[in-house]
Amino acid sequence: MASMLPTPTPTPSALQGVRVIEMGQLIAGPFAGKTLGEFGADVVKIEPPGSGDPLRNWRLIQEGTSVWWQVQSRNKRSIALDLRSTEGQDIARKLIAEADVLIENFRPGTLEGWGMGYDVLSALNPGLVMLRISGYGQTGPYRDLPGFGAIGEAMGGLRHLTGEPGQVPVRCGISIGDTLAALHGTIGVLTALYHRKVNGGKGQVIDVALNEAVFNVMESLVPEYSAFGAVREPAGSALPGIAPSNAYRCSDGFVLIAGNGDSIFKRLMQTIGREDLGADAALADNAGRVARVEELDSAIEAWTQGRSVAEVLDVLGAARVPAGKVYTAKDICEDPHYRARGMLLQQRTRDGHDIEVPGVVPKLMGTPGTVRSSAPGLGDDTDSVLDELGFTADDIAALRGRKVVA
């Protein structure tokens, strides 16, 4: 069967000509590399020989490789290189000398110990943009502590707000702290590349801490504490201070309803047969509704619990009230809107399996992101990458014999 990857756009990719060296592993660094690669950057991923990126073996495995890997590493080339060896470090410096961007998410000081601190690398390549993602950043009293996304979510303030009041804080089920750090890092890379190109600036370091990436999306958490001494607490499925907005029980599941806009609230109350509440002047704005949120939630659920999720969504959709069901993976894969938007792609793995994977986000109308190649096997591109650096076949064979590359 022919490859089921989408046909690349005939127009130049937005990041065509940008060379990225990815030294990161697992989630944060590689997600940034994935995003840049989807918009045309040439991403060369350095992996340790033998084991490779641990993500290759995370969660559900198909013929020895994680299906997660097929998403995280598409559009990348893999070189298996021992960065702990002197020769491996020399090769890495040669690669970085010709690159636009270096991505790494090791513990601070690791690259310096390998002779690849920014002072060394920028001397070789003054235009180098270096994205460094770590638990707590490259400076500060916590810089040397180990940090994973879950810890960043806790320190950033997110974990305290998840779950039901008085219960154990829960995680959202994915590594959101790592992904937020990756997205902030991607913004930093693009900003630095723009500065270098348009303003004649040099390269620079982008220092992203996992906890700060989470903290950056915590909305009014700090100003509310600063101004009022208010410590925001977990509230289950509700959105504190905004009403009505909650999850409501139906006869066959739950539905989320966001009726917190002033005009939306009136339409919602009319739809559920509570015109009295819609006409109540005390409920005309959000402050009044928040004061009586329990009354409003009870009224809404009294209407939803006797109806199916599908019926509730049909009625509220016709009334132009924002509402939605809680999607599972099955719901996503069967949803016509996801398919119409190109958010579900058929991708063939290097092992010959056809799997469905997420599409590319965001959508650029002029230079859309694409999936040009499936995720590589460990060291699939070692020879071609070294050839581009001027190594001969004999050189590569000798390096392989010394276990510097694989």
Side-chain angles (χ1 to χ4, degrees), residues 239-270:
L239 187 60
I242 301 174
S245 183
N246 212 329
Y248 302 94
R249 187 180 301 276
C250 299
S251 62
D252 59 350
F254 290 86
V255 66
L256 300 181
I257 301 175
N260 44 287
D262 295 347
S263 59
I264 294 173
F265 171 72
K266 291 182 178 180
R267 292 198 301 273
L268 173 59
M269 292 301 103
Q270 183 176 15

Side-chain angles (χ1 to χ4, degrees), residues 368-399:
T370 60
V371 181
R372 302 178 305 283
S373 63
S374 53
L378 177 60
D380 271 0
D381 306 287
T382 296
D383 287 19
S384 62
V385 171
L386 292 179
D387 177 73
E388 292 169 6
L389 288 177
F391 287 82
T392 67
D394 289 342
D395 294 333
I396 297 170
L399 288 167

Side-chain angles (χ1 to χ4, degrees), residues 81-90 403-404:
L81 179 65
D82 182 6
L83 291 174
R84 288 175 171 78
S85 71
T86 300
E87 285 185 289
Q89 294 161 7
D90 288 341
K403 301 187 184 305
V404 176

Side-chain angles (χ1 to χ4, degrees), residues 162-241:
T162 57
E164 298 292 335
Q167 301 298 311
V168 175
V170 299
R171 68 181 304 158
C172 68
I174 59 170
S175 304
I176 191 67
D178 290 291
T179 307
L180 284 171
L183 293 175
H184 280 87
T186 302
I187 293 169
V189 166
L190 297 177
T191 302
L193 288 175
Y194 179 89
H195 171 66
R196 192 185 73 179
K197 180 179 178 65
V198 176
N199 299 323
K202 296 181 179 180
Q204 59 184 295
V205 173
I206 299 150
D207 179 6
V208 176
L210 292 170
N211 70 290
E212 292 170 358
V214 174
F215 176 66
N216 192 41
V217 300
M218 294 308 295
E219 300 177 351
S220 60
L221 194 73
V222 164
E224 288 176 357
Y225 176 74
S226 176
F228 306 106
V231 175
R232 187 165 170 177
E233 299 292 345
S237 62
L239 187 60

Side-chain angles (χ1 to χ4, degrees), residues 114-155:
W114 292 342
M116 285 184 277
Y118 191 72
D119 56 341
V120 174
L121 299 179
S122 62
L124 296 172
N125 183 354
L128 180 68
V129 172
M130 186 178 187
L131 170 57
R132 314 195 74 171
I133 302 178
S134 60
Y136 305 98
Q138 302 297 314
T139 61
Y142 300 163
R143 72 180 293 268
D144 295 321
L145 295 177
F148 267 32
I151 311 304
E153 293 163 27
M155 186 177 176

